[in-house]
Amino acid sequence: MFEYCSMASASLVRSLKQRIEDMQPVRLDERALPTAPALRPLFPGGALRKGASYSIHGSLHLALACLAEASRAGEWCGIVGCPDIGADAAVQAGVALDRCIIIPDTGNDALGVAGTLSEVLAVLLVEGVSLHDTRTERVAARLRENGSALLHLGDWPRAESELRVTGSRWTGLGHGHGLLHARELTVTSLDRRGPRTHLVRFENGTPAAVHGEPGRVALSAV
Amino acid sequence: MSVHPERVLLLWIPDWPALAHRLVSDELDADAPLALTEQQRVVACTPEARGAGVRAGMRERDAVSLCPELAAFPHDHAISQRTFDPVLSAIRQRVPEVEALRPGLCAMRARGPARFYGSEEAAATVVLDAADAATGLTAARAGVADGRFAAEQAARANREAPGVDAPHERIRLVASERTRRFLAPLPVSRAAEPALAETLFGLGIRTLGALAALPESSVRQRFGPAGVAARLRALGTGSAAVEHVRPTAAPRDFAVEAAFEPPLDGADQLAFACVPLAERMLADLAEAGLVCTGLRVEISDDIGVRHERVWDHPHRFTAADAANRVRWQLQALPRAPERGGAGIGALRLVPERTDRAAAHEPGLWNTGPDARVHHHLSRLQSRFGPDGVGTLAIGGGRLLASRQHLVPWNTRGPGHSVAAGSHGPWPGSLPGPAPSRIFSPPLNADLRDATGGNATIDHDDLLVAAPATLEVPPALGASRVAAWSRPWPVRERWWRGSPGRHRLQVALDEGDAWLLLHASGRWFAEGRYD
């Protein structure tokens, strides 16, 4: 009886919460970081959030584009443990290089460095953290405390959102002619909204609105 | 606002730039006419040239036609400044506080030396002797009067000028009560800027006495602050800011050094020893109102081998920064096994570049990078080494890896990040989107055509056969090629015999794209559109 009640009330609370969330007007989220309009549908709440961790699979370029808008808005960013980053690609994505700290080699301690940097940098792009590291929880707590966002290229436990590139299509290149020009990524996001599929288009390295439906979710509910 | 000026003793060496030039060059005769020129005009000449009619401001051609044996040289300010420094230090031995006005001219307060040496005349003689001993010439003149302006006019004055005492051929004294009488007959151009002097001359005001006789309110109304200042000078009562002597500090050597016995072995020990040393140096600098922006670290072995390096700082060095630089420098030293137990015998820190501390005060609203960012990054840098933390900068170049470089944190200020010439035309460079991953050095790749043979490029810069599969071990297993660009050549340093290279963009079936490089029949992966 009691069990039934608690289960019923739990589901009731959940459904009420859902309704409140649906009815809530659009408000300024003070924990939102600047995010490119074309990438907003990828994140719950429509923006990268301070203190949250994100896991990105399959595209460094997508991660750079997520970082770029905050960097352009004057925030300090960091790229940790990614020695082969292309400066030209970062600039094309919109990263301000003089406010973007690069730590190419962390000597197997990307996590510790990310924890330290979270105190001063607003957005961190980290590669090469092993999931088995027990300190991820502690670093996540530091991130929440210091209000900086973390984008991890790979798995991250209890990420705010998990972005996985499931398809990629280049245009501009033919059979022996043309040059790479635009790229369309199919990105599956997994977050509290459930799994969704989006189409992200890059033109000359910059995220651009998808034709027809600018900035909207192109496909939904896989 | 005028005050009664203090007595000033002024030393003037006429034609100093020309004389200095003759002093430093050996091949010139001691009495050959010599002139220094700037933009084809004479700026200074020796008395011999002046005797032949050469004057400052004259065109070089006219000067040479007046005096055909004239030797003309471009004016080098550094020479006249450098050769005047020993004169200044010789005078400082006799009179402690000297203001260097310009090369060949310096001023000091007359009251103290006059009391010490007995009289103004005796003080002037002492200073003249010091200058003569330092230059080896007998060209210097001394003038003593109220204020800098009057003293300079006195040093230039004739023996017979009214109000002038000339106890010695090269010393002119103007007593306080005779200052106005002395200044009155001088031409008005001595006190006023050329443009103002011309106007005054045109108005019939030709002497300082005539200017001094004008009412101050009229001068202010007609000529503004410049006119008032000129009138005050003509009266012999300039403002304190202009007329008083402000002693220039003698150049100091701020270098510090320490010797270690027994020699130190280990970067941490040395860095620890460096902190008090750097603190002493920085305190000395701070006393002089300076900060250090460039530091030379000299580390000497116990066997006498010296390693030097100059480190830059975007803001100013602190003792901890200096210790970090010492540690990095020591870590970069080659560790030769045959040196055995050799350690570091001596450490010397020299401030290579200094700047006025006032220019480095943090603004009311912080303009530099956040202090916290700086602090954290410096800490990480002391852990990962100087090249472990930095920002990327894009320079010029064709290959992507050579276009970008890491600027270590703490080394250069903002504004240096773009190398000169980075915007030049780079034939063969990559248009369109750039790959997000760049491999330096490029990875070995395997591009094969449909028959399984290596894809090759012929002399017309074309692929011989369509590429079918790409393999980049270990990043990419064999994958089918969906589309490819036309290969385009990157010809660099062909004059040095470097083989021509080609670039090729390849898109794979699964949606990946790669930037490939072809050199000497082999394929490399330069970047990946990740």
Side-chain angles (χ1 to χ4, degrees), chain A residues 85-150:
Chain A
I85 185 97
D88 281 297
V91 168
Q92 284 174 357
V95 176
L97 286 185
D98 53 348
R99 282 192 306 274
C100 184
I101 307 302
I102 311 283
I103 302 189
D105 185 12
T106 54
N108 223 354
D109 187 26
L111 204 56
V113 174
T116 309
L117 282 179
S118 72
E119 292 187 15
V120 287
L121 305 184
V123 191
L124 284 168
L125 173 57
V126 182
E127 189 175 24
V129 175
S130 139
L131 245 196
H132 306 296
D133 201 319
T134 48
R135 292 176 301 163
T136 46
E137 273 308 311
R138 245 185 299 159
V139 170
R142 275 179 94 174
L143 287 169
R144 274 194 297 279
E145 189 185 330
N146 300 318
S148 65
L150 181 130

Side-chain angles (χ1 to χ4, degrees), chain B residues 134-511:
Chain B
T135 55
L137 305 167
T138 52
R141 288 153 160 253
V144 185
D146 284 4
R148 257 168 34 184
F149 174 71
E152 187 176 348
Q153 301 313 317
R156 289 165 184 261
N158 278 329
R159 271 196 111 116
E160 297 79 28
V164 172
D165 262 336
H168 182 275
E169 170 188 12
R170 293 189 280 140
I171 297 176
R172 305 280 182 273
L173 304 177
V174 178
S176 277
E177 61 276 9
R178 285 191 287 184
T179 306
R180 285 188 70 170
R181 211 183 117 210
F182 160 67
L183 290 175
L186 295 178
V188 77
S189 59
R190 295 281 185 95
E193 297 293 310
L196 178 60
E198 204 173 315
T199 314
L200 289 170
F201 202 82
L203 292 170
I205 302 162
R206 299 183 182 180
T207 62
L208 294 183
L211 178 60
L214 296 174
E216 187 187 341
S217 57
S218 317
V219 174
R220 185 185 300 280
Q221 219 173 4
R222 177 68 177 80
F223 301 111
V228 174
R231 179 175 170 277
L232 282 180
R233 263 179 244 134
L235 280 168
T237 58
S239 65
V242 181
E243 293 294 319
H244 282 191
V245 172
R246 283 161 297 171
T248 338
R252 280 175 65 181
D253 186 12
F254 292 103
V256 287
E257 52 190 330
F260 306 113
E261 185 59 45
L264 295 184
D265 192 20
D268 288 333
Q269 273 178 308
L270 191 67
F272 190 70
C274 161
V275 170
L277 206 61
E279 269 169 1
R280 206 172 77 216
M281 180 191 82
L282 293 171
D284 284 351
L285 283 169
E287 206 174 276
L290 297 172
V291 294
C292 177
T293 58
L295 180 73
R296 192 165 77 231
V297 178
E298 300 174 12
I299 298 176
S300 308
D301 269 352
D302 52 353
I303 49 171
V305 182
R306 200 168 68 164
H307 307 275
E308 266 188 43
R309 181 162 171 191
V310 177
W311 297 88
D312 280 341
H313 198 284
H315 308 294
R316 52 156 91 180
F317 273 102
T318 62
D321 289 334
N324 259 341
R325 302 305 187 279
V326 169
R327 185 183 289 135
W328 297 341
Q329 184 166 336
L330 199 63
Q331 280 165 355
L333 290 191
R335 293 220 161 258
E338 68 268 19
R339 277 177 53 216
I344 301 306
L347 172 69
R348 188 172 139 91
L349 302 176
V350 187
E352 186 78 6
R353 273 181 290 283
T354 56
D355 199 359
R356 289 181 308 114
H360 285 256
E361 286 305 322
L364 193 53
W365 283 275
N366 205 351
T367 45
D370 196 339
R372 262 161 31 93
V373 175
H374 187 76
H375 173 77
H376 275 78
L377 294 180
S378 302
R379 240 177 54 200
L380 281 175
Q381 204 173 17
S382 51
R383 184 170 148 202
F384 292 124
D387 299 328
V389 181
T391 52
L392 282 178
I394 295 184
R398 292 180 180 81
L399 293 198
L400 293 166
S402 59
R403 269 175 65 80
Q404 65 184 52
H405 58 276
L406 189 77
V407 181
W409 186 254
N410 247 341
T411 50
R412 274 184 288 169
H416 294 276
S417 49
V418 177
S422 59
H423 303 298
W426 297 102
S429 64
L430 178 70
S436 47
R437 285 191 197 276
I438 289 169
F439 306 111
S440 176
L443 304 176
N444 285 318
D446 209 5
L447 186 69
R448 299 189 176 277
D449 55 26
T451 62
N454 192 11
T456 48
I457 290 175
D458 61 15
H459 289 293
D460 296 330
D461 298 335
L462 291 170
L463 280 165
V464 175
T469 59
L470 173 69
E471 188 178 355
V472 185
L476 177 77
S479 312
R480 283 174 50 80
V481 172
W484 62 96
S485 70
R486 187 192 154 116
W488 71 97
V490 183
R491 295 207 168 85
E492 284 186 296
R493 304 192 184 93
W494 44 265
W495 56 93
R496 277 207 247 143
S498 297
R501 289 184 282 196
H502 292 82
R503 270 176 156 165
L504 183 73
Q505 278 180 337
V506 170
L508 303 178
D509 250 358
E510 57 257 47

